Amino acid sequence: SQKIEQNSEALNIQEGKTATLTCNYTNYSPAYLQWYRQDPGRGPVFLLLIRENEKEKRKERLKVTFDTTLKQSLFHITASQPADSATYLCALEYGNNRLAFGKGNQVVVIP
Amino acid sequence: GAVVSQHPSRVICKSGTSVKIECRSLDFQATTMFWYRQFPKKSLMLMATSNEGSKATYEQGVEKDKFLINHASLTLSTLTVTSAHPEDSSFYICSASLEETQYFGPGTRLLVL
């Protein structure tokens, strides 16, 4: 069966450190993968898109890697700040631009 | 840029009534919009793909007669929950597609009593 796995445990991290989140998937062949941020009671906010032929993408303090052999994406927040505290969602394309989402991984940045 | 709005943000209704939720792309045109629902601490579940000028495509297990979708223009899609029941209570979120990226609305919290 198809699965998208993100760590269910919250990641508590000291301000200024790098937060690294993992997204593993099985039985998908996504043309691209996206990362979103979601705050409680709000809709997701788009962060980054990475295509299957790209290994790495950066945007300001964010970095995403995509390994289609391992079926894994890593999401990094460098120099983390308390304002980065949120839930981060991994989403895979599965045809006709539809997205399948993971459950998300909560990040708590401690001042 | 790429702002999507939803209305209403919260709605409480009695069991058996119908509720309409609007999704608008404010600063871009979207030929495709998507409707999701999300239960507490769960992932977003795609309900249907809404295409301007044509019928919506529903995901497996989603009742098309229960969740009516209309995409009347390039900036507006509506979801109507018909004959709502308490089990329909959820957080409904729409997105509008701009190339490969989906931009999400703020969501609508539906509570059916």
Side-chain angles (χ1 to χ4, degrees):
Chain A
S1 63
Q2 292 176 314
K3 282 185 188 176
I4 303 172
E5 293 176 321
Q6 294 186 255
N7 198 334
S8 57
E9 284 188 25
L11 175 65
N12 294 307
I13 190 161
Q14 206 69 36
E15 182 176 3
K17 300 291 186 185
T18 297
T20 297
L21 306 180
T22 305
C23 174
N24 294 303
Y25 61 91
T26 54
N27 294 320
Y28 283 99
S29 297
Y32 53 84
L33 181 151
Q34 302 186 24
W35 283 87
Y36 287 82
R37 167 187 173 137
Q38 188 174 26
D39 291 284
R42 307 290 296 171
V45 174
F46 171 73
L47 296 174
L48 280 165
L49 179 153
I50 186 164
R51 294 189 172 81
E52 59 179 339
N53 61 349
E54 296 175 316
K55 294 246 185 275
E56 182 179 298
K57 209 75 169 286
R58 290 174 186 260
K59 179 183 172 184
E60 297 172 354
R61 294 183 295 109
L62 307 179
K63 184 178 89 170
V64 170
T65 62
F66 191 11
D67 188 325
T68 55
T69 302
L70 288 179
K71 296 188 183 300
Q72 181 182 81
S73 175
L74 298 179
F75 176 80
H76 306 271
I77 308 172
T78 58
S80 58
Q81 303 168 359
D84 295 327
S85 298
T87 296
Y88 292 86
L89 309 175
C90 165
L92 274 59
E93 180 274 344
Y94 67 105
N96 296 319
N97 284 351
R98 293 174 298 170
L99 294 177
F101 281 82
K103 286 186 182 178
N105 197 175
Q106 185 182 8
V107 171
V108 178
V109 181
I110 304 161
Chain B
V3 179
V4 177
S5 70
Q6 266 183 257
H7 179 79
S9 57
R10 299 173 67 92
V11 57
I12 300 173
C13 69
K14 291 183 179 178
S15 190
T17 60
S18 294
V19 173
K20 182 188 281 189
I21 302 169
E22 290 187 350
C23 177
R24 293 180 187 272
S25 54
L26 298 184
D27 52 0
F28 66 102
Q29 293 184 330
T31 54
T32 305
M33 292 185 173
F34 300 89
W35 287 95
Y36 296 81
R37 64 190 296 182
Q38 186 177 33
F39 291 105
K41 304 221 184 281
K42 300 288 186 185
S43 59
L44 277 79
M45 295 300 297
L46 179 64
M47 298 172 67
T49 304
S50 170
N51 295 299
E52 188 266 337
S54 65
K55 288 184 180 179
T57 305
Y58 291 81
E59 294 298 298
Q60 195 172 7
V62 177
E63 299 175 59
K64 59 181 70 173
D65 294 331
K66 172 77 170 173
F67 299 101
L68 300 179
I69 291 171
N70 184 280
H71 194 152
S73 77
L74 289 172
T75 58
L76 173 64
S77 175
T78 60
L79 168 69
T80 302
V81 183
T82 62
S83 187
H85 288 101
E87 57 266 30
D88 298 323
S89 298
S90 189
F91 190 49
Y92 291 87
I93 316 175
C94 72
S95 71
S97 188
L98 185 59
E99 297 179 350
E100 296 147 323
T101 300
Q102 291 185 28
Y103 294 93
F104 284 81
T108 297
R109 178 78 57 192
L110 170 64
L111 177 60
V112 184
L113 301 177

